[in-house]
Amino acid sequence: MNIAENLPKNIVLIGFMGSGKSTVGRELHQRLGYPLVDMDQVIEQRAGKPITAIFETEGEPAFRRMETTLLGELADPAAPRRIISTGGGVVGTAENRALLRSMGYVVWLDAPIRAILERTSKNRQRPLLHTDDPAAKIRELMALREPLYQETAHLKLDTAGLDSGELATGILECARYHFSQRPQ
Ligand code: S3P
């Protein structure tokens, strides 16, 4: 069987910082051969500096504008099939959420706060967590964003206890089922 049979145009990964979007994205890329777009990486390449520096010198609103511009480009219906790994705050506007839903199969990778705190504490690449109390910030942002992830995703996966291979298998099976049930 063709591995891409019954699959949507794009598979889009959303979820909080440290939920495993980049790792699972790489796994899906290897399995399907679709190009992988890591939105944070593209934004860094375009800006010529890391995200922390974009936040410091231009501010978060400038970063959010870059994010929406890139999303608009990726949502071009003429674009090839891709795996798209997003930044955790991409669901912040109704415009972005509509673009995400229009792009293909949207998967929310959910992770417990404890796991997010552990993973994000390993480096200083997330400017929103440069606070005295990152755990409180994670809880605050999570409370705001959970309903937005929920509203945007076709599928929610609890990542606790699963490795990236198991998550990729789950995503592919659910995506095939979802699209085989829809009138083409
Ligand atoms: C952000 C998440 C980051 C990055 C930026 C803002 C957020 O991406 O886009 O630091 O608002 O949650 P990851 O989710 O890949 O860490």
Side-chain angles (χ1 to χ4, degrees), residues 17 21 40 51 55 63-64 86-89 126-128 145:
M17 298 173 252
K21 292 164 292 184
D40 285 343
I51 286 171
F55 271 64
F63 172 78
R64 298 296 170 201
T86 62
R126 272 115 174 172
L128 290 176
R145 290 176 180 177

Side-chain angles (χ1 to χ4, degrees), residues 10-29:
N10 297 299
I11 296 180
V12 185
L13 302 175
I14 63 170
F16 208 80
M17 298 173 252
S19 59
K21 292 164 292 184
S22 302
T23 320
V24 175
R26 281 194 293 275
E27 184 73 35
L28 289 168
H29 160 68

Side-chain angles (χ1 to χ4, degrees), residues 20 32 42 47 94-95 101 105 114 116 118 156 172 177:
L32 290 172
V42 175
E95 179 186 4
R101 289 277 304 189
Y105 193 56
R114 176 173 33 80
I116 287 172
E118 194 202 305
K156 174 189 178 189
L172 292 176
Y177 180 75

Side-chain angles (χ1 to χ4, degrees), residues 13-174:
L13 302 175
I14 63 170
F16 208 80
M17 298 173 252
S19 59
K21 292 164 292 184
S22 302
T23 320
V24 175
R26 281 194 293 275
E27 184 73 35
L28 289 168
H29 160 68
Q30 276 169 14
R31 301 236 189 139
L32 290 172
Y34 297 2
L36 171 66
V37 178
D38 185 316
M39 288 186 62
D40 285 343
Q41 271 180 18
V42 175
I43 291 171
E44 288 186 329
Q45 280 158 8
R46 287 183 176 181
K49 53 189 155 191
I51 286 171
T52 37
I54 302 175
F55 271 64
E56 269 164 34
T57 56
E58 298 171 55
E60 182 177 350
F63 172 78
R64 298 296 170 201
R65 283 194 294 277
M66 296 175 200
E67 207 172 33
T68 299
T69 302
L70 175 56
L71 209 52
E73 292 167 21
L74 295 171
D76 177 352
R81 286 178 181 213
R82 296 189 265 229
I83 309 294
I84 298 168
S85 168
T86 62
V90 75
V91 291
T93 65
E95 179 186 4
N96 286 3
R97 294 194 293 278
L99 282 169
L100 290 162
R101 289 277 304 189
S102 76
M103 285 160 69
Y105 193 56
V106 184
V107 181
W108 169 19
L109 297 182
D110 194 23
I113 289 188
R114 176 173 33 80
I116 287 172
L117 190 58
E118 194 202 305
R119 291 183 201 150
T120 55
S121 64
K122 291 190 179 133
N123 62 56
R124 299 262 311 149
Q125 286 161 13
R126 272 115 174 172
L128 290 176
L129 302 183
H130 294 175
T131 74
D132 292 341
D133 190 349
K137 187 70 187 177
I138 290 171
R139 276 194 293 274
E140 176 199 321
L141 286 174
M142 190 69 110
L144 286 172
R145 290 176 180 177
E146 256 175 1
L148 306 178
Y149 294 135
Q150 182 77 54
E151 166 192 331
T152 312
H154 295 97
L155 172 72
K156 174 189 178 189
L157 277 184
D158 288 316
T159 59
L162 297 176
D163 65 28
S164 56
E166 291 164 329
L167 289 165
T169 300
I171 290 168
L172 292 176
E173 285 179 4
C174 292

